[in-house]
Amino acid sequence: MAHPLVSPVYADFAKFLPMLIQASKKEIIINKTSQLYKNIAAHNPNAKCGRYIYECYADMIHVFHQFLDLPDAQYAIAKAGEFIKAL
């Protein structure tokens, strides 16, 4: 169903707030996650100014951030902190 209440991929992204998307290439919904970022970037002229960031991590699982011993999890959390501080 192509409805924004079913999937945010179909939302109106004009004047969208800053967003950091962190995902894993191993996730089942990786195609939708990638499309979400593309839709946000297509509707916002500031997409290249660091307001909208998409990071895709190889060989990670969904919610990999909770495994704090993983270097990718540590890096992703640090990047999220940087993003928040920059707002």
Side-chain angles (χ1 to χ4, degrees):
M1 296 176 62
H3 193 281
L5 294 179
V6 175
S7 173
V9 170
Y10 304 108
D12 177 11
F13 294 107
K15 300 180 184 176
F16 204 66
L17 296 174
M19 179 177 283
L20 168 65
I21 300 172
Q22 294 179 323
S24 166
K25 289 183 180 179
K26 298 285 185 179
E27 293 192 46
I28 293 172
I29 59 169
I30 191 62
N31 291 337
K32 292 287 186 186
T33 305
S34 175
Q35 187 61 50
L36 174 66
Y37 175 74
K38 290 175 186 174
N39 291 352
I40 293 169
H43 290 94
N44 291 279
N46 295 328
K48 304 293 185 213
C49 299
R51 290 176 49 94
Y52 308 101
I53 299 173
Y54 176 63
E55 298 174 348
C56 193
Y57 294 82
D59 300 321
M60 292 289 109
I61 59 168
H62 185 66
V63 298
F64 67 93
H65 303 78
Q66 70 182 340
F67 300 101
L68 299 177
D69 293 339
L70 297 174
D72 280 347
Q74 294 169 12
Y75 180 79
I77 291 169
K79 295 297 284 184
E82 290 173 16
F83 180 79
I84 292 167
K85 287 178 185 177
L87 294 177

